[in-house]
């Protein structure tokens, strides 16, 4: 929450028009006519594929473009293009690659406002948050650019004056498959380390948010990467299958749901390909009675309503020590009711629209089921229709706080991926640790307390990759992002 307040005074929105992209800073004005695939340094229509799919603006429900899915031939062309570029890029020194990545970071900073606006229009999150996403994106490129020149092997002295040595060699063509909640940022998170190490990448964004990643591909080309080093293919599950099965793909990195992650892991295993998975979560947020109450409330809001609650590491199981349950709940409800929902391109909006109508209905179904199982809706949870007529078909709801929750309720066990907070009371430290760990997920966790020894003791006991003390959802690029159990099978956290 402190990060958000420090970023409050951001630059005013700018508008930069590109060929084929008609846009103003007003919601409901973007149309995209250019191809959304990117191969060998330019936008292209896919060589083959299925039917066109409509892409929606969450804030208005209007169609902003049509996406042509990539078939097997297009996927192969993208991989072969990346393979050719890899031969050039992998022979460059780390310092040479570093300079190109730093230039890409500079361009992203320069075009920050345009990219953030694209992200907001296609994703539905507030421009306030989208700017932070873009800042994290260029910071990620800068960080890995700094590491590129330091990658080195080892010299090992052997008996009799002999020696051996190790080499750090790039894998080849890597596949990145992104999620729709952080389209541009996830593409940077996956491409920056891959490219810094000398690899090429073919990236497939979510079919719900195909627009901003193509912008990243153009930026890489402008920065000086060999044409084809970062290609974009569009499509859904079938396109992803073509990528995962392709014999020239050396590694797969996926961000998304657990069921899809399982399928990708199975496909990668058939080709004996290494795979990195960052999957779902149902993270615990533990509020002890000795916390700084206002900070704990801020943390709970940050852990639940960031990006309309569509964040894998959100702390949606809020365990509150019984001594302060009533006062904490009252303050959380009061603050939640003040969150401004509406046009995500307005500066004072703090919660935009959910990604699409089916997902909005899914979140509503979780709330309905929670009430049937005995939970109490303390505030929100209902559909929201803004006063602006152009927003009437958008995918809005009021942020929801559920009380009277139990560990066996579906809303407490399953990832909702929406603005729904479940509050659960606890009495002892031992009890809450056991309950916090009683989940198939293990992505993140948080603790709020003034007792620093207790804070470190509790986070050490949590079976979670990323743990926060007296804050939440702060993800510096210098730190790993991953977890335990079904959230991250490789345990990179």
């Amino acid at each position: 929450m402190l990060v958000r307040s420090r970023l409050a005074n951001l630059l005013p929105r700018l508008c930069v028009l590109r060929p084929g992209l008609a846009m103003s800073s007003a919601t409901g004005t973007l149309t995209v006519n250019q191809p959304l695939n990117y191969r060998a340094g330019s936008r292209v229509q896919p060589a083959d594929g299925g039917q066109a799919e409509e892409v929606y603006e969450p804030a208005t429900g209007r169609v902003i473009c049509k996406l042509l899915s990539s078939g097997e031939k297009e996927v192969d062309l993208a991989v072969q293009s990346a393979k050719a570029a890899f031969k050039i890029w992998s022979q460059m020194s780390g310092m040479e690659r570093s300079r190109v990545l730093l230039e890409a970071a500079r361009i992203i900073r320069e075009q920050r406002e345009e990219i953030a606006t694209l992200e907001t229009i296609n994703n539905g999150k507030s421009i306030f948050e989208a700017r932070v996403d873009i800042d994290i994106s260029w910071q990620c490129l800068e960080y890995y650019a700094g590491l590129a020149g330091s990658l080195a092997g080892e010299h090992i002295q052997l008996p009799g004056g002999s020696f051996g040595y190790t080499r750090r060699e790039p894998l080849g063509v890597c596949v990145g498959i992104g999620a729709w909640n952080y389209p541009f940022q996830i593409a940077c998170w996956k491409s920056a380390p891959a490219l810094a190490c000398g690899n090429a990448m073919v990236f497939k964004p979510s079919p719900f948010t195909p627009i901003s990643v193509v912008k990243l591909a153009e930026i890489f080309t402008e920065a000086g990467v060999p044409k084809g080093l970062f290609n974009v293919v569009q499509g859904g599950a079938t396109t992803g299958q073509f990528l995962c099965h392709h014999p020239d793909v050396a590694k797969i990195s996926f961000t998304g749901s657990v069921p899809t992650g399982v399928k990708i892991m199975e496909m990668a295993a058939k080709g004996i390909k290494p795979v990195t998975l960052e999957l779902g979560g149902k993270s615990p947020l533990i509020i002890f009675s000795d916390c700084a109450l206002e900070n704990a409330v801020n943390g709970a809001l940050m852990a639940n309503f960031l990006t309309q609650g569509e964040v894998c590491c959100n702390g949606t199981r809020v365990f509150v020590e019984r001594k302060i349950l009533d006062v904490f709940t009252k303050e959380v409800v009061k603050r939640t009711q003040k969150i401004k929902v509406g046009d995500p391109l307005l500066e004072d909006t703090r919660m935009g629209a959910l990604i699409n109508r089916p997902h909005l209905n899914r979140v509503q179904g979780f709330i309905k089921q929670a009430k049937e199982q005995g939970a109490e809706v303390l505030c929100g949870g209902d559909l929201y229709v803004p006063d602006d007529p152009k927003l009437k078909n958008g995918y809005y709801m009021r942020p929801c706080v559920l009380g009277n929750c139990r560990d066996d309720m579906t809303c407490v066990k399953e990832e909702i991926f929406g603005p729904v907070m479940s509050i659960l009371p606890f009495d002892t430290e031992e009890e809450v640790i056991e309950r916090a760990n009683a989940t198939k997920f293990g992505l993140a966790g948080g603790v709020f307390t003034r007792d620093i020894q207790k804070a470190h003791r509790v986070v050490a006991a949590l079976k979670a990759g990323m743990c926060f003390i007296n804050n939440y959802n702060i993800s510096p690029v210098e730190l790993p992002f991953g977890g335990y159990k079904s959230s991250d099978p490789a345990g990179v956290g």
Side-chain angles (χ1 to χ4, degrees), residues 58 115-128 130 344-345:
I115 301 168
T117 301
L118 279 177
E119 200 80 332
T120 292
I121 291 171
N122 199 188
N123 168 273
K125 69 174 63 184
S126 71
I127 188 68
F128 181 83
L345 281 177

Side-chain angles (χ1 to χ4, degrees), residues 78-201:
V79 172
Q80 297 310 321
S81 171
K83 191 176 177 181
F86 168 74
K87 292 179 181 179
I88 302 170
W89 183 251
S90 61
Q91 294 303 307
M92 294 169 64
S93 71
M95 287 299 293
E96 289 173 315
R97 296 196 295 266
S98 174
R99 283 193 289 270
V100 175
L101 291 176
L102 287 173
E103 175 63 10
R106 185 198 65 78
I107 297 170
I108 292 172
R109 284 198 305 274
E110 186 179 79
Q111 300 182 11
R112 172 180 184 256
E113 211 56 38
E114 177 189 354
I115 301 168
T117 301
L118 279 177
E119 200 80 332
T120 292
I121 291 171
N122 199 188
N123 168 273
K125 69 174 63 184
S126 71
I127 188 68
F128 181 83
E129 291 184 19
R131 291 188 183 114
V132 178
D133 294 353
I134 306 311
D135 286 338
I136 292 172
S137 298
W138 65 254
Q139 289 165 14
C140 181
L141 265 63
E142 280 195 349
Y143 176 74
Y144 284 102
L147 294 179
S150 65
L151 298 172
E154 292 182 328
H155 172 277
I156 302 98
Q157 189 66 45
L158 300 174
S162 298
F163 66 90
Y165 63 89
T166 62
R167 285 165 48 94
R168 301 291 294 270
E169 298 183 348
L171 294 170
V173 178
C174 300
V175 162
I177 301 177
W180 47 258
N181 55 344
Y182 289 87
F184 193 87
Q185 181 178 304
I186 288 175
C188 289
W189 276 6
K190 294 187 185 304
S191 61
L195 270 56
C197 293
N199 298 291
M201 176 163 278

Side-chain angles (χ1 to χ4, degrees), residues 109-385:
R109 284 198 305 274
E110 186 179 79
Q111 300 182 11
R112 172 180 184 256
E113 211 56 38
E114 177 189 354
I115 301 168
T117 301
L118 279 177
E119 200 80 332
T120 292
I121 291 171
N122 199 188
N123 168 273
K125 69 174 63 184
S126 71
I127 188 68
F128 181 83
E129 291 184 19
R131 291 188 183 114
V132 178
D133 294 353
I134 306 311
D135 286 338
I136 292 172
S137 298
W138 65 254
Q139 289 165 14
C140 181
L141 265 63
E142 280 195 349
Y143 176 74
Y144 284 102
L147 294 179
S150 65
L151 298 172
E154 292 182 328
H155 172 277
I156 302 98
Q157 189 66 45
L158 300 174
S162 298
F163 66 90
Y165 63 89
T166 62
R167 285 165 48 94
R168 301 291 294 270
E169 298 183 348
L171 294 170
V173 178
C174 300
V175 162
I177 301 177
W180 47 258
N181 55 344
Y182 289 87
F184 193 87
Q185 181 178 304
I186 288 175
C188 289
W189 276 6
K190 294 187 185 304
S191 61
L195 270 56
C197 293
N199 298 291
M201 176 163 278
V202 177
F203 193 89
K204 188 194 84 66
S206 164
F208 301 147
T209 52
I211 296 173
S212 60
V213 174
V214 194
K215 184 69 182 169
L216 176 63
E218 292 177 327
I219 288 170
F220 277 136
T221 299
E222 183 181 348
V225 305
K227 291 182 178 180
L229 191 74
F230 183 85
N231 293 326
V232 178
V233 295
Q234 303 285 357
T238 301
T239 304
Q241 290 170 7
F242 292 141
L243 286 167
C244 292
H245 286 307
H246 197 289
D248 289 332
V249 166
K251 178 182 168 64
I252 302 161
S253 177
F254 169 75
T255 298
S257 69
V258 173
T260 304
V262 169
K263 293 176 182 176
I264 286 176
M265 204 170 196
E266 290 173 347
M267 289 186 284
K270 291 179 180 178
I272 319 179
K273 303 179 193 294
V275 61
T276 299
L277 302 176
E278 193 276 286
L279 308 178
K282 193 68 181 178
S283 301
L285 184 67
I286 302 172
I287 313 294
F288 285 100
S289 60
D290 62 350
C291 69
L293 185 65
E294 183 179 357
N295 187 49
V297 170
N298 286 342
L301 299 180
M302 187 75 165
N304 281 269
F305 303 132
L306 188 70
T307 307
Q308 302 79 247
E310 298 163 328
V311 182
C312 54
C313 54
N314 270 358
T316 53
R317 294 183 294 144
V318 181
F319 294 95
V320 183
E321 193 165 359
R322 202 177 299 273
K323 295 176 185 177
I324 61 166
L325 177 64
D326 291 342
V327 64
F328 175 87
T329 302
K330 181 179 179 181
E331 189 63 23
V332 161
V333 168
K334 182 173 75 172
R335 291 283 303 279
T336 300
Q337 290 173 326
K338 292 181 179 179
I339 294 174
K340 182 176 179 181
V341 182
D343 186 339
L345 281 177
L346 295 181
E347 293 291 345
D348 60 347
T349 295
R350 287 300 173 266
M351 199 175 99
L354 276 69
I355 188 65
N356 54 37
R357 182 69 64 185
H359 185 63
L360 176 61
N361 292 340
R362 179 178 180 272
V363 174
Q364 292 287 302
F366 273 109
I367 296 172
K368 180 176 181 291
Q369 187 178 31
K371 290 190 289 186
E372 293 170 350
Q373 293 178 350
E376 179 185 359
V377 176
L378 302 177
C379 70
D382 52 331
L383 298 178
Y384 176 73
V385 180

